[in-house]
Amino acid sequence: MINISNALDNLVDEFSKLPQIGRKTAMRLAMHITRQPKQDVERFSRALTEIKDRLRFCSVCCNITEDEVCNICRAGSRKHGIICVVEEPQDVFAIEKTNEFRGKYHVLHGIISPLDGIGPNDIRIKELLDRLSRSGDDKVEELILALNPTVEGETTILYLSKLLKPLEIKITRIARGIPVGSDLEFADEVTLAKALEGRILI
Amino acid sequence: MILKRIVLKNFRNYSSQEITFNDKFNFIYGSNGQGKTNILEAVSYSTYGKSFLGAAESDCVKFGSNEFFVESDFINDLGNKDFIVISYDKLKKSKAVHRNKQKVNSFSAEVFGRFPLVFLSPKSLNITYGNPSDRRKFFDILISQSSNLYLDQLKELAKILRQKSALLREYSIHKKYKLADLKNLLNSYNEKLSEFSAKVLFKRLNFLKEFESYFDRNFQFLLKQDHRGKISYYSDITKEVFPEDALPEREELKAFTEKLLSEKYEDEIKRAVTLAGPQRDDYIFKLTKYGKDLNKGTDTFELKNFASQGEHKTFLLALKLSEYDYLKSTKSTSPVLLLDDILSELDEDRVSKIISHLKDYGQIFLTTTDRNYINRLKSFYSDSEISEFKIEEGKVI
């Protein structure tokens, strides 16, 4: 095949490195860029570099932010005593959308999975420990572990609960089971069995 | 349940072939290497999502092409149609399943077990001759077909075991973890492992209790002499369990597993392998012969060590017929019976015993190199109940 342009190949390569983007889509995106007015492309490329320049991790909760400390950690209206531990920044967005949670967060940026070579030191557990031990007057009363109900999530929950036991903080995990608004009869047996296991006293 | 029609595209040595099947008996014949078994393998794809021969998907793609399709039309006992399409793309290494033109997200929840299937081939003898893993696989597939929950539990167990082995390996080779971290993590995995081991064990033991009556009946049917076949379960966790024993509760099983894991704890770290769990268990097949002389008593021995070839074959057939009966009663529909080249391997009188009872079974697929065998079948089936297919070089002629 005759090489038309190295610059085009280069751009296609870069696009195809993005998640969910294959060669064909990468080609389509690259062709789209070639047809765009120059100032649009410049704005796009500025947005890309800016995100790397401006975004960093919050020094308290490790969520992504533009400041030293993120908006949620600074907000006086939020309870200091409750911390919700999540896997990724997008989980914070998901929980924020509920408007139900008024505490603070801690983002682990991953989950323990020896198969992928990720151990406790590769995610932000140390930061969580530091935070819990130096919290001073606003003592943390409850830690909510909002991790995915996978094998990796479950073992990370067990690991954290063992690790944090000496601190004598109340540790909870989010419930799992039947989705709201659906009928029991439509739930698959695996979900239903887990919901039965996780039943609660009323 | 009936498999009405199948279409193979670029599957094994078939480029494009549509076959409409008989509701009763499908007699597939041809010389060796023409593609008889490939049709049955395609059937296993649309029911299990995998090859029952354990072949990799990429091996099933026809030489020179990149993607295979298997389309099947199933009709259940109520007359409802299910249209299943399985495709595999060799380049993307991705398998896709569509049920009634809708993409299936979870094969195990939506398709697996829906179309029960019993498969018998000379390779099946691995169940009695082979390793514990062959026996576990046979029973795991059987139990999974009647319980999606069990299938899910097996998958979770396998995932926990993979993570735990990776942890032990990483620690022993790369010293990636501090000892305190390792122990904390190991405890977490062991806790999960005990939970899921108990679930899997509980299900296997209860299944065996239920399965025994089917097995006993079929064994008697095949061998009306003074022989009895027996299946027990061996695990380091429970030791040998017989179907007639009072079975432990799940909580007890969990406690047993926890205890065993804590005994093996240091050893596991030292040797960097998991040393306990249902992934190491075995089903034990035994044969009891009652002496003709009543005073002589009985003689019980393990199939694995002392049985003749004939006894192995009888045992296997009894297992397979019981598999059929068990699925038929739990799924309340007749499974499809696939008989691959069994006439050459299994002895004449054993086969004829089954053949004379074939009418009791639902839809049957039989492959053979011996065309004349059809004449024997014709004494049991009317002309409209039997269809023959001659296979030559990846084509039905």
Side-chain angles (χ1 to χ4, degrees):
Chain A
M1 203 177 82
I2 297 164
N3 183 4
I4 295 170
S5 147
N6 281 334
L8 183 65
D9 277 358
N10 200 7
L11 185 59
V12 173
D13 277 349
E14 290 304 323
F15 272 130
S16 61
K17 284 180 196 162
L18 298 174
Q20 313 268 319
I21 306 283
R23 292 296 299 186
K24 278 184 191 160
T25 314
M27 185 54 134
R28 199 175 313 141
L29 292 173
M31 290 314 289
H32 176 77
I33 297 282
T34 61
R35 288 188 290 262
Q36 291 285 94
K38 186 150 198 238
Q39 64 264 39
D40 283 12
V41 178
E42 273 167 354
R43 205 177 306 128
F44 182 52
S45 93
R46 251 199 323 277
L48 287 178
T49 38
E50 231 174 56
I51 199 123
K52 279 317 276 183
D53 292 341
R54 306 236 320 241
L55 276 196
R56 46 149 104 193
F57 296 124
C58 166
S59 63
V60 181
C61 73
C62 305
N63 195 6
I64 44 175
T65 173
E66 289 192 13
D67 310 298
E68 171 68 25
V69 176
C70 77
N71 290 339
I72 296 178
C73 287
R74 265 183 301 162
S77 59
R78 303 194 67 125
K79 284 185 202 150
H80 290 274
I82 301 184
I83 296 177
C84 179
V85 180
V86 295
E87 214 175 300
E88 298 290 349
Q90 54 264 43
D91 300 330
V92 174
F93 296 124
I95 295 177
E96 276 303 281
K97 262 198 276 176
T98 66
N99 257 327
E100 279 298 309
F101 181 66
R102 306 307 297 157
K104 304 203 166 179
Y105 292 94
H106 188 86
V107 184
L108 292 176
H109 291 279
I111 199 139
I112 298 174
S113 173
L115 264 182
D116 303 305
I118 302 172
N121 297 328
D122 302 308
I123 60 177
R124 293 173 192 255
I125 289 177
K126 190 177 166 295
E127 286 82 349
L128 177 64
L129 284 178
D130 290 349
R131 186 175 170 190
L132 293 174
S133 53
R134 74 172 136 73
S135 48
D137 333 330
D138 337 297
K139 184 136 176 45
V140 176
E141 283 149 17
E142 182 179 353
L143 211 56
I144 304 172
L145 304 178
L147 305 180
N148 291 320
T150 56
V151 165
E152 293 75 22
E154 297 280 317
T155 34
T156 305
I157 287 173
L158 283 174
Y159 173 85
L160 284 175
S161 65
K162 287 183 178 37
L163 190 70
L164 302 172
K165 205 165 182 222
L167 299 179
E168 289 178 351
I169 300 170
K170 180 175 161 194
I171 300 175
T172 56
R173 54 169 300 168
I174 54 169
R176 52 183 181 179
I178 307 296
V180 176
S182 74
D183 278 325
L184 270 192
E185 56 173 322
F186 292 129
D188 65 282
E189 51 263 63
V190 176
T191 308
L192 207 48
K194 286 197 170 144
L196 270 175
E197 252 172 40
R199 66 188 182 273
I200 49 173
L201 198 65
I202 50 169
Chain B
M1 202 238 352
I2 301 290
L3 173 59
K4 198 63 223 169
R5 194 182 67 105
I6 200 164
V7 180
L8 315 181
K9 283 182 194 149
N10 296 329
F11 186 83
R12 292 285 190 181
N13 62 343
Y14 291 85
S15 347
S16 182
Q17 178 72 54
E18 179 177 352
I19 316 171
T20 305
F21 294 117
N22 196 303
D23 291 1
K24 281 298 192 183
F25 202 97
N26 295 280
F27 187 83
I28 302 168
Y29 69 98
S31 311
N32 284 321
Q34 304 300 309
K36 299 185 296 292
T37 303
N38 297 349
I39 297 178
L40 304 191
E41 192 175 31
V43 177
S44 84
Y45 264 104
S46 37
T47 51
Y48 294 163
K50 275 188 185 145
S51 160
F52 47 48
L53 300 172
E57 275 84 13
S58 53
D59 294 344
C60 296
V61 182
K62 189 175 195 292
F63 287 121
S65 46
N66 293 324
E67 197 172 7
F68 77 63
F69 287 89
V70 175
E71 306 174 8
S72 0
D73 274 320
F74 291 97
I75 298 180
N76 72 7
D77 296 353
L78 296 171
N80 293 327
K81 244 172 84 166
D82 251 315
F83 180 55
I84 306 285
V85 182
I86 310 255
S87 57
Y88 176 79
D89 187 323
K90 201 159 94 180
L91 298 180
K92 286 189 196 149
K93 290 187 179 152
S94 70
K95 189 157 61 177
V97 184
H98 289 80
R99 176 170 173 225
N100 300 328
K101 310 213 161 153
Q102 301 263 316
K103 194 167 167 29
V104 166
N105 294 317
S106 159
F107 187 84
S108 56
E110 293 175 61
V111 182
F112 191 91
R114 191 172 284 275
F115 315 109
L117 192 77
V118 172
F119 171 67
L120 180 60
S121 90
K123 269 202 166 178
S124 309
L125 276 166
N126 276 343
I127 299 168
T128 65
Y129 276 112
N131 301 318
S133 64
D134 295 310
R135 283 180 282 283
R136 284 197 306 269
K137 193 171 163 200
F138 167 69
F139 285 109
D140 280 347
I141 293 177
L142 173 52
I143 306 171
S144 300
Q145 285 197 68
S146 58
S147 165
N148 277 340
L149 191 56
Y150 179 73
L151 182 61
D152 187 73
Q153 288 162 351
L154 277 181
K155 280 191 192 159
E156 295 261 309
L157 181 70
K159 237 189 271 175
I160 302 165
L161 284 168
R162 275 204 306 276
Q163 289 285 14
K164 182 176 164 181
S165 321
L167 172 72
L168 290 168
R169 220 171 32 237
E170 291 263 294
Y171 176 76
S172 83
I173 300 171
H174 307 296
K175 292 275 170 257
K176 188 177 157 69
Y177 302 95
K178 282 180 276 179
L179 188 62
D181 268 348
L182 170 86
K183 290 197 163 171
N184 184 344
L185 271 175
L186 202 52
N187 289 336
S188 306
Y189 284 117
N190 281 349
E191 206 170 314
K192 278 274 140 198
L193 213 50
S194 308
E195 184 190 333
F196 278 88
S197 297
K199 284 179 181 169
V200 166
L201 270 176
F202 185 75
K203 190 83 194 177
R204 284 185 185 169
L205 294 175
N206 280 282
F207 159 80
L208 201 56
K209 208 177 189 90
E210 220 183 314
F211 188 70
E212 203 213 8
S213 59
Y214 295 97
F215 182 73
D216 215 35
R217 187 155 25 87
N218 280 301
F219 199 87
Q220 298 280 318
F221 159 68
L222 289 169
L223 210 65
K224 279 204 182 60
Q225 302 148 357
D226 13 0
H227 285 59
R228 292 288 291 276
K230 195 119 195 96
I231 309 171
S232 59
Y233 186 85
Y234 184 86
S235 169
D236 282 339
I237 299 167
T238 55
K239 302 301 166 204
E240 189 168 0
V241 182
F242 298 91
E244 63 270 22
D245 291 350
L247 299 183
E249 284 301 316
R250 210 169 349 187
E251 284 309 309
E252 281 176 82
L253 290 170
K254 189 173 174 211
F256 292 158
T257 316
E258 271 166 4
K259 185 166 167 281
L260 189 65
L261 282 169
S262 68
E263 282 166 20
K264 305 262 182 192
Y265 194 78
E266 298 297 330
D267 229 19
E268 287 192 328
I269 297 178
K270 217 184 295 164
R271 293 171 54 184
V273 279
T274 307
L275 295 169
Q279 76 284 2
R280 304 167 58 90
D281 295 353
D282 198 3
Y283 294 82
I284 299 174
F285 299 155
K286 282 182 193 155
L287 215 53
T288 302
K289 289 182 184 171
Y290 294 88
K292 294 216 169 61
D293 180 1
L294 279 175
N295 298 324
K296 274 186 98 181
T298 61
D299 180 20
T300 299
F301 57 90
E302 255 190 66
L303 205 65
K304 206 167 56 182
N305 306 330
F306 300 106
S308 70
Q309 291 203 31
E311 286 164 340
H312 272 278
K313 288 171 187 171
T314 304
F315 212 96
L316 172 68
L317 274 183
L319 280 173
K320 283 288 169 179
L321 296 181
S322 314
E323 178 184 20
Y324 187 95
D325 292 345
Y326 177 81
L327 284 175
K328 188 175 175 179
S329 90
T330 51
K331 309 295 287 183
S332 27
T333 181
S334 292
V336 169
L337 189 57
L338 306 180
L339 304 172
D340 185 27
D341 199 23
I342 59 160
L343 303 175
S344 59
E345 275 291 323
L346 300 169
D347 310 335
E348 178 65 26
D349 55 331
R350 251 180 294 269
V351 172
S352 58
K353 230 174 205 156
I354 302 184
I355 299 282
S356 60
H357 278 75
L358 282 181
K359 275 290 225 182
D360 300 344
Y361 299 101
Q363 194 184 25
I364 299 172
F365 295 76
L366 181 136
T367 70
T368 179
T369 48
D370 178 12
R371 192 198 161 182
N372 295 325
Y373 209 88
I374 198 165
N375 298 324
R376 287 205 40 198
L377 297 164
K378 280 189 170 156
S379 52
F380 302 109
Y381 289 98
S382 67
D383 281 352
S384 64
E385 285 178 330
I386 187 162
S387 301
E388 39 183 321
F389 303 93
K390 183 178 186 193
I391 310 295
E392 216 172 275
E393 290 176 2
K395 280 197 182 73
V396 177
I397 300 181

